[in-house]
């Protein structure tokens, strides 16, 4: 084999390997899937135990937040699917406030 043929064979093998290599795409990252209950709102759960800390963090009382959730949740609530769990209306509001 000549050097030109060697280069062609090497190039062909490179292309075949590159095509075989597929990138994995995740609907949910494995870290999040294994830690479904450990969302961003662990801080909110901990803050809800102490009224003063909650009010400092979100700049409103828990009662006011609950009233806001009752008013706005029918407009922003999403439906859970088989593929993933939706973000609750309360979590959406807390993200917006922070």
């Amino acid at each position: 084999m000549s050097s030109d043929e060697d280069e062609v064979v090497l190039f062909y093998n490179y292309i075949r390997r590159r095509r075989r290599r597929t990138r994995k795409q995740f609907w949910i990252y494995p870290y999040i899937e294994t830690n479904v209950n450990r969302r961003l709102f662990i801080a909110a759960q901990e803050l809800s135990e102490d009224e003063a800390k909650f009010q400092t963090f979100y700049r409103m009382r828990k009662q006011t937040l609950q009233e806001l959730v009752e008013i706005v949740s029918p407009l922003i609530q999403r439906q859970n699917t088989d593929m993933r769990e939706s973000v609750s209306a309360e979590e959406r509001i807390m993200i917006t406030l922070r």
Side-chain angles (χ1 to χ4, degrees):
M1 285 171 65
S2 69
S3 65
D4 289 336
E5 291 174 351
D6 289 339
E7 289 177 9
V8 170
V9 169
L10 286 173
F11 182 73
Y12 175 74
N13 287 334
Y14 171 77
I15 296 298
R16 279 186 47 206
R17 284 189 188 136
R18 189 138 193 226
R19 284 184 184 164
R20 272 193 254 157
R21 202 180 323 152
T22 59
R23 294 183 179 163
K24 293 182 180 181
Q25 294 181 356
F26 302 107
W27 187 265
I28 299 175
Y29 284 100
Y31 173 76
I32 296 172
E33 187 174 22
T34 57
N35 296 309
V36 171
N37 295 329
R38 296 182 183 202
R39 290 191 179 170
L40 302 173
F41 299 99
I42 290 176
Q45 292 170 357
E46 292 172 359
L47 289 171
S48 65
E49 296 171 3
D50 185 18
E51 181 72 35
K53 287 182 181 179
F54 186 88
Q55 189 167 352
T56 303
F57 194 76
Y58 287 108
R59 298 185 185 99
M60 68 171 50
R61 294 187 333 241
K62 286 190 284 188
Q63 294 170 328
T64 309
L65 177 69
Q66 290 305 319
E67 291 172 8
L68 184 63
V69 168
E70 289 176 15
I71 294 169
V72 179
S73 65
L75 302 172
I76 63 172
Q77 183 63 43
R78 299 287 186 240
Q79 187 175 9
N80 291 338
T81 65
D82 293 335
M83 300 296 269
R84 65 180 174 194
E85 184 181 334
S86 65
V87 178
S88 70
E90 184 176 3
E91 290 176 358
R92 288 171 174 261
I93 292 171
M94 290 173 118
I95 290 170
T96 304
L97 292 173
R98 187 59 190 147

